[in-house]
Each structure stands twice: as structure tokens, then as C-alpha cells.
Amino acid sequence: MTSLLSGATGGIRKLLAIVLMMLTLLVGAPASSADDATVKSPVSPQESLEHLVVNPDLTVDLVAGEPQVIDPVAIRFDELGRMWVVEMRDYPLGKEGGNPTLSRISILEDKDGNGYYEAATVFADNLNFATGVQPWKGGAFVTMAGEVAYMKDTDGDGRADLRETWFTGFSEQNTQLRANDPRLALDNRIYVANGLRGGEIVNVRQKLKEPLSISGMDFRFDPHTGECEAVSGAGQFGMTFDDYGNRFICSNRNPAMHVVLENRQLQKNPLAAVPAVVHDVARAGEQSRIYPITAAWTTSNLHAGQFTAACGVEVFRGNALPKEYFGNVFTCDPTNHLVHREKMTADGATFTSTPADEGKDFLASRDRWFSPVNLEVGPDGAMYVVDMYRAVVEHPEWVPTELQKRPDQLLGNDRGRIYRVRAKASRPSDSLAAKPTTLAKLTNAELVDHLGSDNPWLRDTAARLILERRDEGLRDLLYGVASKDNALAKIHAYRLLEGLGLANPNAWLAALEDSDPRVIEQVILIAEPLAQEDGPLWEAIARLSAHADPRVRIAAMLALTPNIATPTQPADRWEQQAMLIAAGQRGGELLAKLLSDPEALEANVADPKQFVGEAARLAAASPYEEQHQRAVAAVLASPKYQRVGLTSFFGELRRRGVDLADSMSKLDKDEYVQLQRSFEQAKVNVQQSESPDEQRCESIDLLALTEESAPTLTALAIDDASQAIQLRAVAALMQLSAIEPWRE
């Protein structure tokens, strides 16, 4: 089974598994434990607490339930501490299934301060498959079927009477794989997860602009101007940021992915062949491990105990859980009725993680209807869990037609719960959510003071309100914060100065001298548009390409594209990709610089030959003959990297339609002779069975460039004693048009 906003594997096995699942929902699924067998779903909201299992140092509170909320899929908190709830009441098929448009946005309040949100106001209803909400200027941006709209109550009755469509064209092919989770980020843009189906986005408020494709991409826009763009990612359902603006997404089998390289950075050098832009922080697919404590039906028994419906990813930044939970990444899996937790640590340019508790998960239930789909850190610093609470959370596209209208598909469509998970030592009565705040009424100075708060919700909400006000009187206040010794406050202040257009460009030069690498990284990102035209700024950022922090080095290299940077410290694959992007059309220059100091190359790159090959390909892709000449000269002068460099360089030219003979005709006499000698030496080397397979494979790859090598390669494919050599020779022969006849 897959989750809300999830896909599934195909095939007969999947179909049979779904049929079995649907049948067992009527007769009762086998229990995974004796305790599970006693749970007769559904149960009341209060009773559901009895079946939830968390670590003994934590406690779970029910903060909302039916009838106040039905089928909740996302929540946000506004500056009054109110909870905005997205209710997907038209799940699973919505309007496309011939049903009414029943989704709605409700605003919940805890008026008596006991920690339970007992008062609900319907802000907007009759929406078509709503998927997310982001408060803004007293109203909210809402994602729903095919569009992003802004809604606001302008007459004070609690209901939205203003509705402006900002963007349309998001894919509506499937009711669950749709754009979702709008979220205001540190860079003053609202990001939207793709939903996997993409779309051709029309900016309704800027009608003269061409539609924007977000195929394989996520989306962001400026809430003030409406300017929008595609960004790296393609998250499925859910998206989260850490304190420093790092973005994390998820998909069915991938519980936590970090977006390492942004599309705007890739666009600086289309010649660079970047294999990936996101990194699996947590183990994914068959390598993932989760521990359901009740029956969990999946579309394949091979997926048991693995993520099949990962959604609602959240980096925990609150302070109402024990300290060891801060910075952990959490992911829901409604199929397995649990929320998983991973301890995340920095790893070079990105992050890695390990399961926090082997053999168990952060939160799990013995109740088979428990269906957590999203997470949010609240004003009180606690983790809030959004539970659709349904018998079936299944992707309609993967359910056989004859089962799509069965009544059990809708069991639970009158229910929904939201929980708060906190440390036992904390008290819900201390919650900011339980004590409505008045941030909206604070002065500019009071809001700016909150940028230094240790409560991330206060920081983020204060920053949003400052951004909304666009008051020039904030300039001095923000510079005052930037002068203090609080890294997070500085970062917010710098970002707001940028977003409000209040920054003095000279300020970035001084800010680059900060002692905190995370502050420096943000300042580089902010100053990047100015660096190319500001000599002192360019030089300051260039010096930072050798900084001790890998993220600072990457930001510096990419900010100055095109420029040449080589590894001065251990560089992971992401930093190497940044070097290739930063080189622009000067791949030959990069290659020459790498090979001029092989000791530094080998000390700082895990696989030097691979990196040399990538640089050689980039050089060949350059439109400048001078770059080609520099590349060939550098490779021919490097005995250790000669074969891999020549193979990659001339192989890329061949891929671009340039014949080897034409390429060689442009070489001077000495280079021509050297290249011929390289082919001859490779031919000898491949026949030396005592040579290491690695060397012989490199020689085979080089010989694959010449049609004259067919007899030699054929003999290796047929007769060589090494299977690795035979396979490499066969792969080489596939690149040739004149293949030597095989012997019978």
C-alpha cells in the first residue's frame, strides 16, 4: 500500500496485494502483536492516545480531533498562535471522481488555554483537493488542484471573501500527486513541492510571461512581486528547511533528501553534466528500515519493514523535546502507521543520518487507522503530528476499478486528529499556542528583537511579519541585529535587508569576515548578483573558495562562475561538481590546473581519475579551440592520467559528432605523434595479462575510440581469461561501427 500523495510499483503482485488489503479491511487484518489484536478500529480521538507508543521521556497530547477537523493533511501556525488546518475532505478522488469539492481551510483556536483547540472557524470551503497553506498578510496562500491562490478575510467575519489566483497549470493528472506544502523560506521566497507530476505554470498576474515548466522541478515565488521560477527538487508530499535554509524533500521510498545544488547554479554552466542535484540523507528504498507495531499492508511483500509511503518530512527545530532531538529529521509513513526519526549530521557539502532508535520508531500506533501524513513544529517548540485517521490511505490510480467505489474506501472520512509530542518535563499550559500571541501588534523594534530568539517559530514568524511590512524604518534596526553576536539573528537580518531592498552593498564586504561559516555562506548567496561587477567583493569571495568549511567553498565557487578553483582540502563529489560548474566554458584551464599539481589532486579527491575524466569532458564541450588545446597538452603531459583524460576528451567530442581523425588533424606534430604512441601503448598493454585489470580496462576504453582496434578488442572479448576484461571489451566494441566478425 502507498500513502496519501504516493505512487506504487506496478505488476500483478501489486494488484493482488491491493485486493488482499481491501478484503482484509472487511474481515480484519492479521495483528502483528497481541496488543494490536485488541484494537478495534476506529476508536475515539481520546482513546487513540492509548494506542500510541513513544519513547518514555516523551508524552503525546491530543490537540484537535473530529468534528473540528476532518481528514487533515497539513497545518501552519499564524502570528496569533492559531492553527490553520488543510482538510482534504474530498479524499481520495475529489471532483475527478464525480464528488463535490469538499476540501477546506479551517482556523483552530485554543481559547481556554488548556492546550486543546476547541474552537474552529471555516476560513474557506468548497475547495478542490487542497494540499497546503502558508499564512501571509493576514490571509494565506493555498495550494489546491492545479493552482496557487491567495485568500483573505477582509470584512472580519472569519471567512475568506477575497480569492486571487496567482498561478495555474500545476498537473492535475492524479488527485494525489499534486503541488503541495507552500512554505516561506529564509530567502524570502515561498517554495512549493512539485507533487511529482510537474506542469506548465502560468503566472496569472504577469500574463505576458511564457508558461514555466516544472517537470522534475519544484517551484518558488516572491510573495510580493509574484516573480517565480523552477527550482531543483521534485518533492512528492512535504518539504522542510533547517535553520540555515537547507531544503529537504521526500518521496515514497526516499524519506529524506537534501537539495544540494540549485537550478540557478546549474544554469550558470549548461556544459557541466551534473548527475544529481539531491542527496539521500537517510537510507532509501530497500535499504530503509522502519518498525511498524501493527499490521502494515504494502503492495509487495518485498517492501515489508521499509518506507513505501514517506511523506511530511520535517527537520525538528523546536525546544519542547529533549536536546538530542534538535536537528533530527522526521518522516511519516501512513502505510506503516508511524513517524520515523533519524539523527542527522553534516557531511561535507550535505548531510547524512542514521536511525535514532534501532528497532523502534519515534511514534507508532497499534491502531491500524492511525495515518500520519504531515508534521509541523509549533509555537511551543513541540512536534505536531497530522493524522488523517482513515481505514485506507491508498493511491486511487493503483486500486483496481472494481474496488475504487467500495464503501470501505471512505471509512474514516468523518474523522481526523492532530497530536502534540513533547518532553514529559514540559507543560502544555506553557505553550505559546495555548496563549495567543500578539506578534501582529508588535512594533518593528520588538519584532526585530525576536530574530534572536531561541524559539524558531518566533524567529520565523517575526521575520515573516517584517517582510510583510516592507518598512524602510527597519533598516537601522536590522543592521543593529547584524552587529550582534548571534549567528541566526544575523542571518535573518541579512536576508531581510536583502528581501526588503534595504541593504547597502558595502555591508556584504564586511559581513564576509564573520567568524561563523553559516553566516558567511548566507552572505555569499546574497552578494552573488553583485560580485561580478564589484572588484573588492569578487576578490573577497574568491579567497573564500579555499575556506575550511565545504559549504562556504562551494558557495564561493558558484558565486563567481566562471572561475577556476581546484581542491585545496578534501572535496566530496558535490564540491567536485561545483568546481566543474564554476569552470564555465574554461574546462581546459581547469584540467590543466588539476594536472599541474597531482599531489594536491590525489590528496583532496577520493577518485582523482574520475574527476580528471569529468574535467576532460567539460573541456571537450567548450566551444573554444584554445580550451581544447590546453586540455590535450595537459593530458599528454600526464603519464598517470593520460589514458583516462584522452578517453574522456575525445569521447565527448565523438558524442558531439566530431570524428577522431578531424580532432587529430588539429594537433601539432608533436602532439599527433604522442597521441599515436598512446594508442600503440594501449594496444600492447591490453594484451599483457599480468598487468592489473584496472590499467587494461583504461587501455580498452582508449582503444574504443579507433575503428582499427576492432580486431584487438574482439580477441579480448573472446579469449581473455579475465571476465572483467571480456566485458569491458564487449562494451568497447559496441561503440564501434566496424566490428570484427566473431569466430564460431
Side-chain angles (χ1 to χ4, degrees), residues 284-360:
E286 63 184 15
Q287 301 299 319
S288 65
R289 291 293 179 270
I290 49 179
Y291 306 96
I293 60 174
T294 188
W297 297 101
T298 62
T299 54
S300 169
N301 57 11
L302 297 177
H303 293 169
Q306 304 169 12
F307 269 104
T308 63
C311 58
V313 62
E314 181 77 11
V315 173
F316 182 72
R317 303 190 294 131
N319 52 14
L321 294 179
K323 289 183 179 179
E324 61 266 27
Y325 289 77
F326 182 85
N328 290 184
V329 61
F330 297 75
T331 310
C332 300
D333 193 308
T335 295
N336 287 281
H337 319 294
L338 57 82
V339 177
H340 181 72
R341 169 187 166 219
E342 297 257 333
K343 290 184 177 180
M344 187 168 65
T345 56
D347 183 21
T350 182
F351 302 85
T352 188
S353 71
T354 56
D357 301 294
E358 284 294 343
K360 61 181 180 179

Side-chain angles (χ1 to χ4, degrees), residues 10 102 187 215 307 379 412 422 467 524 539 634 683 727:
L102 299 176
D187 63 4
S215 176
F307 269 104
R422 57 184 173 86
L467 185 65
I524 292 172
E539 292 172 3
K683 187 174 181 180
L727 292 174

Side-chain angles (χ1 to χ4, degrees), residues 54-63 114-115 316 319-322 325 362 380-385 419-431:
V54 293
N55 284 341
D57 56 346
L58 307 178
T59 190
V60 184
D61 307 312
L62 178 71
V63 299
N114 67 352
F316 182 72
N319 52 14
L321 294 179
Y325 289 77
F362 170 70
D380 54 353
M383 178 72 87
Y384 285 71
V385 180
Y419 308 97
R420 176 198 298 114
V421 186
R422 57 184 173 86
K424 280 185 175 178
S426 65
R427 297 179 300 170
S429 59
D430 292 335
S431 165

Side-chain angles (χ1 to χ4, degrees), residues 24-86:
T24 54
L25 285 171
L26 295 179
V27 302
S32 59
S33 67
D35 288 340
D36 175 52
T38 67
V39 180
K40 303 299 181 183
S41 306
V43 299
S44 70
Q46 202 63 42
E47 188 181 355
S48 65
L49 291 173
E50 301 174 11
H51 307 301
L52 293 171
V53 177
V54 293
N55 284 341
D57 56 346
L58 307 178
T59 190
V60 184
D61 307 312
L62 178 71
V63 299
E66 68 266 12
Q68 282 83 3
V69 293
I70 305 290
D71 283 334
V73 297
I75 63 173
R76 289 284 190 276
F77 293 91
D78 68 10
E79 60 271 21
L80 300 177
R82 302 180 303 177
M83 183 193 302
W84 294 58
V85 183
V86 180

Side-chain angles (χ1 to χ4, degrees), residues 80 237 251 377 414 432 453 476 535 550 585 622 625 711 732:
L80 300 177
F237 185 71
S251 63
V377 178
D414 57 349
L432 283 171
S453 171
D476 291 341
Q585 298 178 337
S622 174
E625 187 63 32

